[in-house]
Amino acid sequence: MNARNDEGAAVVFDTGIDPVGLADEDLFRELASLYRTRLDTLRHGPDAALENHFRRTAELETEYMARFPGREVDPGRLTRDF
């Protein structure tokens, strides 16, 4: 997956703008939208929509983790040792 074209601009993928080209606020908005629509897509979307949802979620979450590798983990949310 090529994230930038020869001029350095973000490449537009079939599922949306390359996450590398999104500002933090836009990345958070896109992630929130995916999470809001997840169950509906899983239960009622055609296979192609679900495949796109999987791919876009992976793209956005991978970019999030690249930007925020030291994200704060709330110890109260841990239910067991991993």
Side-chain angles (χ1 to χ4, degrees), residues 22-76:
L22 296 173
D24 288 351
E25 180 179 301
D26 296 327
L27 178 63
F28 295 138
R29 186 190 68 243
E30 290 292 314
L31 283 165
S33 177
L34 276 171
Y35 299 145
R36 255 192 333 273
T37 61
R38 181 71 181 151
L39 183 58
D40 193 48
T41 303
L42 178 64
R43 292 185 63 209
H44 307 293
D47 290 344
L50 188 57
E51 185 178 316
N52 283 338
H53 214 278
F54 284 141
R55 184 174 34 254
R56 188 62 173 165
T57 300
E59 291 170 357
L60 292 167
E61 288 181 347
T62 298
E63 179 60 22
Y64 175 85
M65 293 303 295
R67 290 185 195 188
F68 304 101
R71 73 196 201 312
E72 249 182 73
V73 176
D74 179 355

